Amino acid sequence: MNPSLILALVAALGPALPTAAGAHRLQAQAVTAESATPPFPVLGQRVSQATDGTYPGLDLRMVTEPAPVPGQAGAYLAARQAAAENDFAAAAQYFSQAVEADPADEFLQDGAIVSLVSAGMVDQAVALADRIEAAGGGTELSALLRRVDRARAEDWPAVLQVLDSMPSDPSAGGPLLDGLFRAWALMGAGRASDAFALLEKMGKEPGAGGMAHFQLALAKASVGDYEGAALLLEDPVASTHLQGLTARVQVLSQLERNDQALALFEPLDRIEDEPQLAALRDRLAAGDRVPFDVVTNAREGLAQVLVTFGGALMGGQETDPLALLYARLAQYLDPDEPDARLLSAQLLMNAGQFDLAERDYEALRAAGQMRPVSELARIDTLARADRLEAAEAAARALTADYPQLAQGWVSLGDVLRQRDRFAEAVPVYDRALEILQAQEDPQASWFALYARGISRERSGDYDGADADFQAALQLQPDQAPILNYLGYSWVDRNIRLDEALRLIERAVELRPDDGYILDSLAWAYYRLGRYADAVAPMERAVTVMSEDSLVNDHMGDIYWMVGRKREAEIQWHRAQSLYKPEDTDTDLPRIRAKLHVGLDAVLKAEAENGGTLPEGFGLPPEPAPQPESENGDAAEDEAQP
């Protein structure tokens, strides 16, 4: 397979975020997102190193250790609690209160700045940094705020003055950021030759070459030195990311070398998932001379630097709090920069601040800067957070804006499945398959076939479901979830049991510790009357999925059939206590009937009723209503003394 384009502003990305695939329950669990073929990685994913190597001692955390807050413990503790919960607005309020009480405490100052910026209140954070400096204090973080604010105003002498007055601590890796700031400030001040010399010197430092060369290429291209920029961008470390590729393509086009620019797209896999890149490629193919607009001035160059640093610190649940700070400051410098807004939105999503993130996502969409791959990741995150209404709205917006993007339709179908709207999901997957099956790679359609099969099976279209599962297996014969789902669906319908058992046994070989698949294996043995064989795999399934109501219910049935009736009742009681309304596969009235009259009586009643349990069978009678007294209260069973 051709290499995928790395969509981040730093190289050496971690694992790619997958296509959106919600979590589904039916015994053979749906393919998880991790098992689906991933699209491009998303801007700002966790990186193992920055550009062409790690920075010795690089630790961008500039916040000092906390100190006691005499007399202000309430505000301090509330601020710490809010920060721990990523409630940035509340943290900003409480940290600001604490700073008012103890204006010299650097920990409180930095806490207030980080919280204010994270909440999007950058103007207030800058004002606080200015007050700290006017009072004769200041930290590296407050100095960073002041230099960003001066850069936003394009007051480059002031930026250089702040850099000189408050250099970063070398042990924290700050000189790298300081050097890039200084270079772009020199560019803004009209001292391009000095900026080039500084970046060339930085490019010789261990671990800093790729980043410095990329920034030098941007700086040269921004003043029209396309030949110099093209040479620098030949370094793969400086150009194997989204902005690097875009910059290189635009530079080559400015040099009237569209054929070389087009060749850069050839090894890229699934470029159609990034319509902006596809549009750029099409312009080159049409002979257009594409303008260079990645960076047009020093302020935009600094915004790109901050996005790079924010992306380098991004890491899921353990993301450094300064990652969001850098992304927000990049937005402050260049409000029209989509990468900064997108990185902020992704970081806010990771922090569970969905409402704040939605503002940035909606702004991107309104500006026509939505990126399909990031939208897929956003939909998946919303679905995993059980914000299914928002996930569906986002998926519908994506399919409206990009109707030819198959993964958009797949993600919408996945959300509908997660909302148990299986019949509605079927035509959505139909649309995805129309697009996918027109592609050259037949493997592209296996997941949509499988997902449509689930939707058809849950909608009662068993023939259609079987056809989809078998078609998916033709493409992916060793996908354990497909083997398991098809096998279990036959077991559940009590048909083709020998064939179902073979499918499930193969799934167990592929995933021997999967609780859902072990449950399927045990249930296949149960249907075949091999009750003793069913005990061991079902006990393993219960060990893995002890909180699952259906698995415990199945365990009870198997125990009953091997004569362990007291243990069967314990499992049924446990299944009843674990039952939740979303456990749609668990038959709660049947469990109650088994507890009241036993499994033998239940099976007999089902056999006499065409395979279903008569309504109300085996349930204890409802208590008779008590007569009311003259005053309307229920009469007491016994006279009160």
Side-chain angles (χ1 to χ4, degrees):
M1 182 179 356
N2 293 330
S4 291
L5 178 64
I6 299 177
L7 295 185
L9 296 181
V10 286
L13 283 168
L17 283 176
T19 53
H24 307 284
R25 168 63 179 88
L26 180 71
Q27 286 317 99
Q29 84 271 17
V31 171
T32 61
E34 288 75 9
S35 65
T37 303
F40 297 116
V42 178
L43 172 68
Q45 279 183 265
R46 180 85 174 166
V47 296
S48 58
Q49 59 182 9
T51 64
D52 61 346
T54 57
Y55 302 114
L58 177 60
D59 183 355
L60 300 177
R61 299 168 180 79
M62 296 182 285
V63 180
T64 56
E65 288 299 313
V69 188
Q72 286 295 317
Y76 168 72
L77 292 174
R80 292 293 299 273
Q81 180 66 27
E85 296 173 353
N86 294 324
D87 187 346
F88 302 124
Q93 174 187 345
Y94 290 122
F95 269 123
S96 297
Q97 290 176 7
V99 168
E100 292 296 325
D102 190 356
D105 188 283
E106 292 186 352
F107 168 73
L108 298 178
Q109 293 169 1
D110 281 348
I113 287 171
V114 170
S115 300
L116 285 165
V117 175
S118 298
M121 297 183 281
V122 183
D123 288 328
Q124 294 93 316
V126 169
L128 174 59
D130 285 338
R131 290 202 308 271
I132 292 169
E133 192 271 340
T139 66
E140 290 183 45
L141 204 52
S142 64
L144 174 63
L145 265 290
R146 289 190 293 116
R147 78 171 85 145
V148 167
D149 184 60
R150 280 37 168 191
R152 184 173 186 248
E154 299 187 335
D155 185 351
W156 303 113
V159 173
L160 293 168
Q161 188 277 326
V162 175
L163 282 164
D164 291 336
S165 65
M166 179 67 78
S168 299
D169 181 358
S171 67
L176 176 64
L177 183 59
D178 283 4
L180 296 174
F181 246 94
R182 185 177 297 277
W184 281 108
L186 290 169
M187 289 291 297
R191 297 164 56 185
S193 59
D194 291 339
F196 296 164
L198 174 57
L199 289 169
E200 287 169 356
K201 180 180 177 182
M202 292 179 65
K204 298 174 183 177
E205 295 293 326
M211 186 179 290
H213 289 160
F214 178 56
Q215 295 299 323
L216 179 56
L218 295 181
K220 288 193 171 189
S222 71
V223 294
D225 182 4
Y226 298 119
E227 288 285 0
L231 287 172
L232 288 161
L233 290 170
E234 288 178 1
D235 179 0
V237 178
S239 60
T240 51
H241 47 78
L242 176 61
Q243 290 291 19
L245 173 73
T246 304
R248 191 178 182 191
V249 165
Q250 291 180 352
V251 163
L252 289 172
S253 185
Q254 284 295 297
L255 293 169
E256 299 183 349
R257 290 153 59 182
N258 277 18
D259 55 341
Q260 294 181 34
L262 276 169
L264 298 176
F265 291 96
E266 292 178 2
L268 301 179
D269 187 38
R270 299 179 63 176
I271 191 174
E272 301 303 332
D273 286 356
E274 277 293 335
Q276 292 90 340
L277 286 179
L280 180 57
R281 177 200 58 192
D282 294 344
R283 290 186 65 185
L284 293 169
D288 291 352
R289 189 178 183 187
V290 180
F292 179 82
D293 61 5
V294 174
V295 165
T296 62
N297 56 47
R299 181 173 51 80
E300 293 177 3
L302 278 176
Q304 288 291 344
V305 169
L306 290 168
V307 171
T308 300
F309 273 69
L313 290 176
M314 184 177 180
Q317 296 299 317
E318 301 302 323
T319 294
D320 190 297
L322 290 188
L324 180 56
L325 180 135
Y326 288 133
R328 288 291 209 190
L329 291 181
Q331 281 183 269
Y332 183 70
L333 270 174
D334 186 2
D336 297 325
E337 169 52 60
D339 292 333
R341 190 177 294 279
L342 176 57
L343 181 58
S344 292
Q346 291 174 333
L347 288 162
L348 288 165
M349 291 283 283
N350 285 358
Q353 296 298 303
F354 300 104
D355 293 336
L356 285 175
E358 285 302 306
R359 298 177 191 175
D360 283 323
Y361 279 120
E362 286 305 314
L364 285 166
R365 185 167 185 264
Q369 296 168 334
M370 179 193 295
R371 284 188 180 153
V373 172
S374 70
E375 283 297 292
L376 292 170
R378 169 196 178 198
I379 294 162
D380 185 57
T381 300
L382 288 167
R384 291 173 185 271
D386 206 30
R387 295 174 64 95
L388 297 177
E389 185 174 348
E392 182 181 342
R396 291 192 182 281
L398 180 60
T399 56
D401 287 349
Y402 296 96
Q404 293 303 311
L405 182 68
Q407 288 300 331
W409 294 101
V410 171
S411 86
L412 175 56
D414 290 346
V415 172
L416 292 172
R417 277 196 294 144
Q418 197 165 346
R419 303 191 76 179
D420 293 335
R421 288 157 55 186
F422 299 104
E424 291 179 57
V426 171
V428 173
Y429 289 122
D430 289 344
R431 180 69 185 117
L433 284 163
E434 287 176 15
I435 300 168
L436 291 167
Q437 291 173 344
Q439 299 178 9
E440 294 181 3
D441 182 9
Q443 290 291 334
S445 62
W446 76 264
F447 179 79
L449 282 166
Y450 170 62
R452 187 176 68 179
I454 294 173
S455 302
R456 283 176 162 175
E457 192 273 343
R458 300 307 293 268
S459 303
D461 178 9
Y462 300 119
D463 291 340
D466 289 353
D468 279 345
F469 291 140
Q470 289 169 323
L473 278 177
Q474 287 291 318
L475 298 171
Q476 292 283 323
D478 288 330
Q479 276 286 348
I482 309 176
L483 292 162
N484 185 39
Y485 206 116
L486 178 57
Y488 183 83
S489 69
W490 287 342
V491 169
D492 197 46
R493 286 179 273 156
N494 209 17
I495 63 171
R496 304 174 69 168
L497 295 179
D498 291 327
E499 189 176 354
L501 179 60
R502 287 195 295 273
L503 294 175
I504 295 167
E505 286 175 336
R506 177 57 182 151
V508 172
E509 290 176 8
L510 294 166
R511 292 192 184 180
D513 298 319
D514 188 305
Y516 289 110
I517 298 176
L518 290 168
D519 174 73
S520 297
L521 177 62
W523 205 239
Y525 285 141
Y526 175 90
R527 290 290 199 194
L528 288 163
R530 295 168 57 179
Y531 305 120
D533 291 335
V535 173
M538 188 58 77
E539 286 179 338
R540 287 171 59 200
V542 169
T543 299
V544 175
M545 304 173 63
S546 59
E547 301 301 310
D548 189 286
S549 62
L550 185 60
V551 170
N552 281 276
D553 182 28
H554 283 172
M555 185 79 260
D557 287 11
I558 291 169
Y559 276 155
W560 181 278
M561 288 302 191
V562 295
R564 297 162 64 174
K565 296 188 175 181
R566 178 57 184 149
E567 290 169 273
E569 292 172 355
I570 292 171
Q571 292 300 137
W572 291 329
H573 276 296
R574 180 166 176 76
Q576 184 176 242
S577 67
L578 291 170
Y579 176 80
K580 301 179 292 296
E582 57 267 29
D583 294 348
T584 54
D585 296 315
T586 302
D587 190 339
L588 190 59
R590 190 173 189 271
I591 293 174
R592 290 171 175 162
K594 288 184 289 189
L595 284 167
H596 193 61
V597 299
L599 179 57
D600 295 337
V602 167
L603 292 174
K604 181 181 179 183
E606 288 174 337
E608 293 172 351
N609 194 50
T612 60
L613 192 67
E615 185 175 354
F617 175 84
L619 299 182
E622 294 289 335
Q626 296 184 356
E628 293 186 356
S629 63
E630 292 182 358
N631 60 10
D633 296 328
E636 298 293 338
D637 291 334
E638 297 179 0
Q640 297 296 316

